[in-house]
Amino acid sequence: MSNLDITAVVAELRPMLLGARVEKIFHTPPDLFRFKLHKSGRGRVDLVVEPGKRVHTTSYEYKAPTKPTNMAMYLRKRLRNTRLDAIEQVGYDRIIKIVFTGYEQVY
């Protein structure tokens, strides 16, 4: 994806995802992440992120891995039930910043 592609994708995803809550996160090695989100008034939204290659929403039902990876468990522990508050492109680089709020770290 080029810088211009990232700009267009972020503009398209922003109204779709802002305010959505994280239900579950799946990780398929080597680097495919699927965020199951829920947005009131819209229902379930699946966000697919493959760092360096693609980011998009999908309605395709991916087969969930039988055993969650350590990375998936780490992200689930920290992001479950948080709210997606911002999605933006950093400068005009090929970097997408996604901000989640509502997480309270408990030790």
Side-chain angles (χ1 to χ4, degrees), residues 9-26:
V9 166
V10 168
E12 183 180 333
L13 292 178
R14 190 174 289 127
M16 230 185 292
L17 300 178
L18 288 183
R21 293 236 176 241
V22 177
E23 289 182 348
K24 205 166 210 181
I25 302 168
F26 297 96

mmCIF file of all heavy atoms in Angstrom, residues 9-26:
data_model
loop_
_atom_site.group_PDB
_atom_site.id
_atom_site.type_symbol
_atom_site.label_atom_id
_atom_site.label_comp_id
_atom_site.label_asym_id
_atom_site.label_seq_id
_atom_site.Cartn_x
_atom_site.Cartn_y
_atom_site.Cartn_z
ATOM 1 N N VAL A 9 -7.645 4.689 2.812
ATOM 2 C CA VAL A 9 -8.164 3.641 3.703
ATOM 3 C C VAL A 9 -8.521 4.218 5.062
ATOM 4 O O VAL A 9 -9.572 3.902 5.625
ATOM 5 C CB VAL A 9 -7.136 2.488 3.841
ATOM 6 C CG1 VAL A 9 -7.470 1.580 4.998
ATOM 7 C CG2 VAL A 9 -7.058 1.692 2.555
ATOM 8 N N VAL A 10 -7.668 5.070 5.606
ATOM 9 C CA VAL A 10 -7.942 5.683 6.913
ATOM 10 C C VAL A 10 -9.211 6.527 6.846
ATOM 11 O O VAL A 10 -10.054 6.466 7.744
ATOM 12 C CB VAL A 10 -6.726 6.503 7.402
ATOM 13 C CG1 VAL A 10 -7.092 7.376 8.589
ATOM 14 C CG2 VAL A 10 -5.589 5.573 7.766
ATOM 15 N N ALA A 11 -9.371 7.290 5.776
ATOM 16 C CA ALA A 11 -10.583 8.109 5.624
ATOM 17 C C ALA A 11 -11.828 7.236 5.517
ATOM 18 O O ALA A 11 -12.895 7.611 6.010
ATOM 19 C CB ALA A 11 -10.456 9.003 4.390
ATOM 20 N N GLU A 12 -11.703 6.073 4.902
ATOM 21 C CA GLU A 12 -12.833 5.159 4.770
ATOM 22 C C GLU A 12 -13.134 4.433 6.079
ATOM 23 O O GLU A 12 -14.296 4.226 6.431
ATOM 24 C CB GLU A 12 -12.525 4.134 3.675
ATOM 25 C CG GLU A 12 -13.646 3.169 3.401
ATOM 26 C CD GLU A 12 -13.280 2.174 2.314
ATOM 27 O OE1 GLU A 12 -12.453 2.497 1.448
ATOM 28 O OE2 GLU A 12 -13.831 1.058 2.347
ATOM 29 N N LEU A 13 -12.098 4.046 6.799
ATOM 30 C CA LEU A 13 -12.285 3.277 8.031
ATOM 31 C C LEU A 13 -12.753 4.127 9.213
ATOM 32 O O LEU A 13 -13.473 3.639 10.080
ATOM 33 C CB LEU A 13 -10.990 2.560 8.412
ATOM 34 C CG LEU A 13 -10.524 1.438 7.511
ATOM 35 C CD1 LEU A 13 -9.200 0.881 8.004
ATOM 36 C CD2 LEU A 13 -11.572 0.337 7.440
ATOM 37 N N ARG A 14 -12.345 5.384 9.252
ATOM 38 C CA ARG A 14 -12.634 6.247 10.409
ATOM 39 C C ARG A 14 -14.122 6.265 10.785
ATOM 40 O O ARG A 14 -14.459 5.946 11.931
ATOM 41 C CB ARG A 14 -12.108 7.659 10.157
ATOM 42 C CG ARG A 14 -12.164 8.527 11.401
ATOM 43 C CD ARG A 14 -11.499 9.871 11.190
ATOM 44 N NE ARG A 14 -10.058 9.722 11.090
ATOM 45 C CZ ARG A 14 -9.326 10.201 10.088
ATOM 46 N NH1 ARG A 14 -9.885 10.871 9.113
ATOM 47 N NH2 ARG A 14 -8.025 10.037 10.082
ATOM 48 N N PRO A 15 -15.056 6.589 9.889
ATOM 49 C CA PRO A 15 -16.462 6.621 10.310
ATOM 50 C C PRO A 15 -17.014 5.225 10.628
ATOM 51 O O PRO A 15 -17.938 5.092 11.420
ATOM 52 C CB PRO A 15 -17.194 7.238 9.115
ATOM 53 C CG PRO A 15 -16.272 7.126 7.967
ATOM 54 C CD PRO A 15 -14.896 7.050 8.505
ATOM 55 N N MET A 16 -16.421 4.214 10.035
ATOM 56 C CA MET A 16 -16.877 2.842 10.247
ATOM 57 C C MET A 16 -16.476 2.293 11.618
ATOM 58 O O MET A 16 -17.195 1.498 12.208
ATOM 59 C CB MET A 16 -16.246 1.933 9.172
ATOM 60 C CG MET A 16 -17.214 1.055 8.467
ATOM 61 S SD MET A 16 -16.351 -0.064 7.357
ATOM 62 C CE MET A 16 -15.715 1.041 6.125
ATOM 63 N N LEU A 17 -15.298 2.724 12.109
ATOM 64 C CA LEU A 17 -14.721 2.093 13.295
ATOM 65 C C LEU A 17 -14.723 2.935 14.562
ATOM 66 O O LEU A 17 -14.637 2.382 15.655
ATOM 67 C CB LEU A 17 -13.282 1.662 12.993
ATOM 68 C CG LEU A 17 -13.100 0.668 11.854
ATOM 69 C CD1 LEU A 17 -11.624 0.378 11.657
ATOM 70 C CD2 LEU A 17 -13.866 -0.608 12.128
ATOM 71 N N LEU A 18 -14.792 4.242 14.454
ATOM 72 C CA LEU A 18 -14.715 5.076 15.660
ATOM 73 C C LEU A 18 -15.840 4.733 16.628
ATOM 74 O O LEU A 18 -17.007 4.670 16.253
ATOM 75 C CB LEU A 18 -14.767 6.562 15.306
ATOM 76 C CG LEU A 18 -13.519 7.123 14.653
ATOM 77 C CD1 LEU A 18 -13.669 8.612 14.412
ATOM 78 C CD2 LEU A 18 -12.280 6.845 15.466
ATOM 79 N N GLY A 19 -15.479 4.500 17.867
ATOM 80 C CA GLY A 19 -16.457 4.169 18.896
ATOM 81 C C GLY A 19 -16.738 2.686 19.024
ATOM 82 O O GLY A 19 -17.478 2.276 19.916
ATOM 83 N N ALA A 20 -16.157 1.873 18.163
ATOM 84 C CA ALA A 20 -16.390 0.423 18.231
ATOM 85 C C ALA A 20 -15.645 -0.179 19.417
ATOM 86 O O ALA A 20 -14.585 0.302 19.807
ATOM 87 C CB ALA A 20 -15.933 -0.238 16.932
ATOM 88 N N ARG A 21 -16.221 -1.217 19.998
ATOM 89 C CA ARG A 21 -15.604 -1.926 21.125
ATOM 90 C C ARG A 21 -14.940 -3.209 20.632
ATOM 91 O O ARG A 21 -15.459 -3.893 19.769
ATOM 92 C CB ARG A 21 -16.654 -2.286 22.164
ATOM 93 C CG ARG A 21 -17.231 -1.077 22.827
ATOM 94 C CD ARG A 21 -17.061 -1.180 24.329
ATOM 95 N NE ARG A 21 -17.539 0.041 24.946
ATOM 96 C CZ ARG A 21 -16.766 0.832 25.655
ATOM 97 N NH1 ARG A 21 -15.524 0.552 25.831
ATOM 98 N NH2 ARG A 21 -17.266 1.917 26.196
ATOM 99 N N VAL A 22 -13.794 -3.526 21.226
ATOM 100 C CA VAL A 22 -13.059 -4.748 20.875
ATOM 101 C C VAL A 22 -13.701 -5.933 21.590
ATOM 102 O O VAL A 22 -13.827 -5.931 22.812
ATOM 103 C CB VAL A 22 -11.573 -4.636 21.276
ATOM 104 C CG1 VAL A 22 -10.840 -5.929 20.973
ATOM 105 C CG2 VAL A 22 -10.917 -3.465 20.583
ATOM 106 N N GLU A 23 -14.130 -6.924 20.814
ATOM 107 C CA GLU A 23 -14.680 -8.141 21.394
ATOM 108 C C GLU A 23 -13.603 -9.220 21.526
ATOM 109 O O GLU A 23 -13.478 -9.855 22.557
ATOM 110 C CB GLU A 23 -15.831 -8.669 20.541
ATOM 111 C CG GLU A 23 -17.081 -7.821 20.625
ATOM 112 C CD GLU A 23 -18.226 -8.392 19.815
ATOM 113 O OE1 GLU A 23 -18.016 -9.319 18.994
ATOM 114 O OE2 GLU A 23 -19.348 -7.899 20.001
ATOM 115 N N LYS A 24 -12.858 -9.428 20.449
ATOM 116 C CA LYS A 24 -11.842 -10.472 20.457
ATOM 117 C C LYS A 24 -10.802 -10.175 19.394
ATOM 118 O O LYS A 24 -11.080 -9.491 18.414
ATOM 119 C CB LYS A 24 -12.479 -11.828 20.173
ATOM 120 C CG LYS A 24 -11.715 -12.996 20.714
ATOM 121 C CD LYS A 24 -12.585 -14.233 20.695
ATOM 122 C CE LYS A 24 -12.162 -15.135 21.820
ATOM 123 N NZ LYS A 24 -12.901 -16.349 21.874
ATOM 124 N N ILE A 25 -9.606 -10.716 19.594
ATOM 125 C CA ILE A 25 -8.517 -10.529 18.641
ATOM 126 C C ILE A 25 -7.940 -11.898 18.298
ATOM 127 O O ILE A 25 -7.706 -12.718 19.188
ATOM 128 C CB ILE A 25 -7.417 -9.625 19.220
ATOM 129 C CG1 ILE A 25 -8.004 -8.271 19.597
ATOM 130 C CG2 ILE A 25 -6.260 -9.480 18.242
ATOM 131 C CD1 ILE A 25 -7.084 -7.413 20.426
ATOM 132 N N PHE A 26 -7.726 -12.117 17.013
ATOM 133 C CA PHE A 26 -7.125 -13.354 16.549
ATOM 134 C C PHE A 26 -5.805 -13.027 15.865
ATOM 135 O O PHE A 26 -5.676 -11.995 15.209
ATOM 136 C CB PHE A 26 -8.041 -14.075 15.547
ATOM 137 C CG PHE A 26 -9.344 -14.488 16.135
ATOM 138 C CD1 PHE A 26 -10.467 -13.684 15.994
ATOM 139 C CD2 PHE A 26 -9.456 -15.668 16.842
ATOM 140 C CE1 PHE A 26 -11.676 -14.057 16.543
ATOM 141 C CE2 PHE A 26 -10.665 -16.051 17.396
ATOM 142 C CZ PHE A 26 -11.778 -15.249 17.242
#
